[in-house]
């Protein structure tokens, strides 16, 4: 595994990030433990989770699973760069959500307890909170860092101007600011190329794309359906919308002799400011297969072909103006 720096920081992470969202709802605890153990064996040291994962209000089921895995010892916690997130509601009460100083303090302590650790490597805002000033946000994060409860701060689902405002506010406070941004980014969803990616590049944030396979559409969906494997109603509806592109894409992947999922991930690794996409394996087979991504080298001709199939964006304002 060749490790890379997360944005401008000195933190070394694997170019694939293990997403844990399926742990609990889709993948049993036993299988989740096996996947995390195997990830470390393969050199994947970057794990992502969130306090709301598990999707039972207030329980933090996925964080609990990761915490019990850490509790087994054997260097699991020390080898892992763990990133978790806050913002989503953890109860019906008004201050158990978003990014107020009060919720940041409470949510961090709750995540530490569930994760069975005394610090979080990257504490991420799961979404922007338009009702909380960035000065309040940064004061709360500064205190957590002074207390040794967090090391770095990241964002998720921020617009370009949110990143700029966050970073300028942090600079006025002589604080490090954000080192990463999790964005919805894949061959089908490329709007972040307008302003988010340029902002991340300028401020030195490492981009961690989520949903890199567009919910499975870029993972060889036509082949799976042809083989009789079921697909959700939502996926079928999305496939109908993008069928022409997906057909052309899978045909091109056949020409390359590569799995569509691996090509989609390899493409992301070639994009500006991207540190590594979040993979969310439900099975060991999916985890181990993802390592093929790191061996694929897409040349300029291949990248141009993918842009032809899935047109992207220029940097704003050139995308829509002179």
């Amino acid at each position: 595994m060749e490790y890379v720096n997360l944005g401008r920081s000195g933190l070394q992470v694997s170019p694939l990030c293990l997403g844990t969202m399926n742990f609990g709802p889709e993948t049993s605890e036993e299988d989740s433990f096996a996947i995390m153990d195997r990830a470390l064996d393969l050199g994947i040291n970057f794990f992502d989770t969130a306090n709301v994962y598990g999707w039972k209000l207030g329980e933090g089921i996925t964080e609990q699973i990761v915490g019990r895995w850490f509790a087994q010892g054997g260097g699991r916690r020390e080898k892992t760069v763990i990133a978790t997130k806050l913002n989503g509601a953890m109860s019906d009460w008004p201050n158990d959500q978003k990014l107020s100083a009060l919720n940041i303090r409470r949510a961090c302590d709750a995540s530490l307890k569930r994760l069975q650790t005394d610090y979080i490597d990257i504490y991420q805002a799961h979404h922007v909170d338009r009702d909380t000033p960035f000065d309040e946000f940064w004061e709360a994060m500064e205190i957590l860092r002074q207390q040794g409860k967090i090391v770095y701060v990241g964002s998720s689902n921020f617009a370009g101007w949110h990143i700029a405002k966050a970073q300028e506010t942090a600079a006025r406070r002589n604080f490090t600011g954000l080192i990463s941004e999790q964005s919805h980014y894949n061959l089908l969803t490329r709007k972040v190329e307008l302003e988010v990616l340029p902002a991340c590049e300028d401020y030195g944030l490492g981009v961690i794309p989520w949903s890199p396979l567009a919910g499975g559409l870029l993972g060889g969906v036509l082949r799976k359906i042809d083989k009789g494997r079921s697909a959700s109603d939502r996926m079928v509806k999305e496939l109908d919308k993008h069928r022409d592109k997906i057909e052309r894409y899978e045909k091109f992947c056949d020409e390359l002799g590569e799995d569509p999922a691996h090509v989609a991930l390899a493409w992301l690794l070639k994009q500006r400011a991207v540190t590594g996409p979040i993979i969310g394996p439900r099975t060991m087979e999916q985890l181990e297969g993802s390592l093929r991504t790191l061996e694929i080298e897409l040349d300029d001709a291949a990248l141009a072909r993918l842009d032809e199939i899935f047109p992207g964006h220029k940097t704003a304002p050139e995308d829509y103006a002179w």
Side-chain angles (χ1 to χ4, degrees):
M1 183 67 65
E2 294 186 10
Y3 297 95
V4 295
N5 287 75
L6 181 58
R8 71 189 185 284
S9 77
L11 185 64
Q12 293 267 297
V13 296
S14 51
L16 293 175
C17 178
L18 180 68
T20 64
M21 190 169 67
N22 289 319
F23 295 174
E26 300 288 338
T27 306
S28 70
E29 183 162 325
E30 180 181 2
D31 288 344
S32 299
F33 280 17
I35 287 172
M36 288 187 280
D37 281 334
R38 183 59 177 150
L40 286 187
D41 288 343
L42 294 170
I44 297 174
N45 72 333
F46 191 13
F47 293 11
D48 176 73
T49 190
N51 60 355
V52 293
Y53 288 173
W55 313 118
K56 288 189 177 180
L57 186 65
E59 294 191 24
I61 290 171
T62 302
E63 282 189 332
Q64 289 188 45
I65 290 172
V66 176
R68 288 190 287 270
W69 179 73
F70 282 153
Q72 295 177 96
R76 288 174 172 83
R77 176 63 188 97
E78 293 76 13
K79 293 175 183 176
T80 302
V81 174
I82 187 67
T84 193
K85 301 185 283 291
L86 83 151
N87 187 301
M90 294 298 284
S91 83
D92 294 328
W93 288 87
N95 290 310
D96 285 342
Q97 59 186 307
K98 297 192 174 182
L99 301 178
S100 69
L102 178 59
N103 189 47
I104 288 173
R105 174 177 176 169
R106 289 175 174 173
C108 182
D109 285 345
S111 285
L112 290 170
K113 184 176 181 180
R114 286 189 292 266
L115 289 168
Q116 299 194 46
T117 185
D118 56 3
Y119 71 98
I120 294 163
D121 296 295
I122 310 169
Y123 201 34
Q124 304 162 112
H126 208 160
H127 201 282
V128 68
D129 177 5
R130 297 177 178 87
D131 297 324
T132 299
F134 275 111
D135 272 312
E136 179 179 346
F137 171 80
W138 283 126
E139 182 181 34
M141 291 297 184
E142 289 163 14
I143 290 171
L144 291 182
R145 193 173 187 193
Q146 290 164 4
Q147 293 172 334
K149 294 179 179 180
I150 67 172
V151 183
Y152 299 98
V153 181
S155 59
S156 182
N157 304 305
F158 274 31
W161 75 270
H162 296 140
I163 291 168
K165 192 168 185 179
Q167 296 303 77
E168 294 303 321
T169 304
R172 288 200 306 272
R173 303 178 63 89
N174 295 314
F175 193 65
T176 306
L178 303 169
I179 66 157
S180 62
E181 158 62 20
Q182 277 193 42
S183 285
H184 189 194
Y185 188 29
N186 55 57
L187 279 163
L188 274 168
T189 306
R190 299 181 58 171
K191 291 181 180 179
V192 292
E193 294 170 352
L194 284 163
E195 299 193 22
V196 175
L197 296 192
C200 289
E201 190 172 46
D202 189 70
Y203 283 105
L205 276 66
V207 176
I208 313 164
W210 62 266
S211 193
L213 302 183
L217 287 177
L218 299 170
V221 63
L222 293 177
R223 306 174 186 194
K224 295 172 184 177
I225 290 177
D226 289 344
K227 291 179 180 178
R229 292 174 60 177
S230 61
S232 67
D233 291 341
R234 183 197 63 80
M235 182 178 288
V236 171
K237 185 177 179 180
E238 287 298 304
L239 178 58
D240 288 342
K241 188 190 306 182
H242 302 290
R243 180 174 288 273
D244 177 63
K245 291 181 179 180
I246 299 300
E247 287 177 348
R248 293 166 62 196
Y249 174 63
E250 293 198 15
K251 182 179 179 182
F252 178 54
C253 291
D254 286 338
E255 293 173 16
L256 294 175
E258 299 289 352
D259 186 283
H262 302 157
V263 173
L265 295 171
W267 176 82
L268 281 168
L269 287 171
K270 299 287 284 187
Q271 305 311 303
R272 63 193 301 180
V274 169
T275 295
I278 298 174
I279 57 172
R282 293 187 300 275
T283 66
M284 190 70 73
E285 180 184 15
Q286 291 174 343
L287 171 67
E288 294 180 342
S290 66
L291 268 292
R292 172 60 189 160
T293 299
L294 304 179
E295 300 172 2
I296 297 174
E297 184 59 42
L298 298 173
D299 60 21
D300 290 343
L303 293 171
R305 181 78 175 275
L306 290 169
D307 282 338
E308 179 185 329
I309 298 171
F310 302 104
H313 295 275
K314 299 177 185 177
T315 299
E318 287 85 355
D319 189 82
Y320 46 80
W322 57 272

